[in-house]
Amino acid sequence: MTRERNGRDPWPPELTEQLLRVDRLRRSGRYPEALARMRELVEVHPRQVRVRMELGLTLGVWGERPAEALPWFDGVLELAPGHASAQLHRALVLARLGRHAEAVAGFDALEAGGEFRKALVVYMRRAESLEVLGRQEDAERDWTRALGEDADNPWLLHQRALVRARLGRLEDAVADLTRAIGVLGPDAVDAELLRDRGLVRARLGDRAGAQADFEAGRAALREGDPPALAESLNQEP
């Protein structure tokens, strides 16, 4: 008799291999087969936490179907309240559905629970939802926490700079953008970063610096950059 328990029922040993097969199907691009197999497994094992979780992941992550995934993450939490992974993915799904206040509440509950992995994901996604809700100071706090997990990430620096600019912290925003540009180095100049620094410099009254950034941004444009970026760089900062 197995001693392992996952949910309220004993864990059937054969389920481990069956879920591995589903994962191989997902990773090989055979999503419809993976989903069909997961639906079969949840019919046979409806009270297994991991089976419910994997169906939610199959729908929400691999299938890009967040609305259908949400009830399965709720189902995991019904059987295993406080299940950290289910809490995380439920909050992520809510954010993708535009239910940002609920998403923030979900991230808050996960953080309040103490031990949780993927802190960087929590801080980034909560910051995005907080921005949508107009809570810019709280969003800035979370971008700062995210940078505590990945200090030299130019994308994170860019996001914090944008929030700081909205808060009127213009010199701090320029510092973040300058740091992001420096991290990328001369071989990976980013036209968008240069444009945004130019815009903030213009707000500070540094017209020469703004013009220099726009000129450098135009020179850094690459094939495949959005047309709107080129158009914005051809305007006055």
Side-chain angles (χ1 to χ4, degrees):
M1 183 174 66
T2 180
R3 295 182 180 179
E4 184 179 359
R5 298 184 71 83
N6 196 324
R8 299 184 180 182
D9 298 338
W11 180 256
E14 66 275 10
L15 257 180
T16 300
E17 179 57 33
Q18 290 170 332
L19 290 177
L20 286 173
R21 289 176 193 161
V22 168
D23 193 49
R24 286 193 289 269
L25 288 171
R26 294 185 304 206
R27 294 180 186 279
S28 64
R30 296 160 66 183
Y31 168 75
E33 294 177 62
L35 179 58
R37 186 61 186 132
M38 280 309 311
R39 292 196 186 282
E40 292 172 2
L41 290 175
V42 83
E43 285 290 330
V44 178
H45 307 284
R47 300 190 66 75
Q48 289 293 343
V49 166
R50 186 177 168 194
V51 173
R52 291 187 182 193
M53 187 72 196
E54 290 295 335
L55 180 52
L57 293 172
T58 302
L59 288 163
V61 176
W62 299 92
E64 298 289 333
R65 295 158 69 173
E68 294 178 55
L70 181 59
W72 293 105
F73 296 133
D74 286 335
V76 171
L77 293 169
E78 176 189 344
L79 290 180
H83 191 287
S85 186
Q87 285 181 295
L88 172 62
H89 284 281
R90 182 179 185 275
L92 292 172
V93 159
L94 287 167
R96 288 169 63 193
L97 292 170
R99 295 163 59 177
H100 293 287
E102 294 171 81
V104 168
F107 290 128
D108 289 348
L110 178 60
E111 185 178 32
E115 297 182 8
F116 65 98
R117 294 181 293 174
K118 299 187 178 180
L120 177 58
V121 174
V122 171
Y123 298 146
M124 288 192 306
R125 300 309 175 207
R126 184 169 60 188
E128 290 172 339
S129 288
L130 287 166
E131 286 186 41
V132 174
L133 294 169
R135 296 170 56 184
Q136 304 301 326
E137 291 183 358
D138 291 334
E140 193 273 344
R141 174 207 63 198
D142 268 348
W143 289 123
T144 298
R145 289 178 174 177
L147 281 161
E149 301 289 327
D150 190 0
D152 291 323
N153 187 309
W155 184 81
L156 294 176
L157 287 164
H158 191 185
Q159 301 313 304
R160 185 172 71 174
L162 295 175
V163 173
R164 286 179 163 181
R166 286 194 288 272
L167 290 168
R169 295 172 56 182
L170 302 183
E171 292 182 357
D172 289 337
V174 168
D176 276 347
L177 291 163
T178 300
R179 183 174 157 197
I181 291 166
V183 168
L184 290 172
D187 295 329
V189 179
D190 188 292
E192 187 177 7
L193 288 172
L194 287 162
R195 181 204 60 189
D196 288 346
R197 187 174 68 175
L199 291 171
V200 179
R201 281 178 161 172
R203 290 176 62 186
L204 283 167
D206 181 6
R207 305 299 300 179
Q211 290 286 359
D213 278 341
F214 268 50
E215 290 174 12
R218 287 192 291 270
L221 286 168
R222 297 184 294 269
E223 185 177 352
D225 280 336
L229 176 58
E231 291 173 11
S232 65
L233 283 165
N234 284 322
Q235 298 174 5
E236 286 294 317

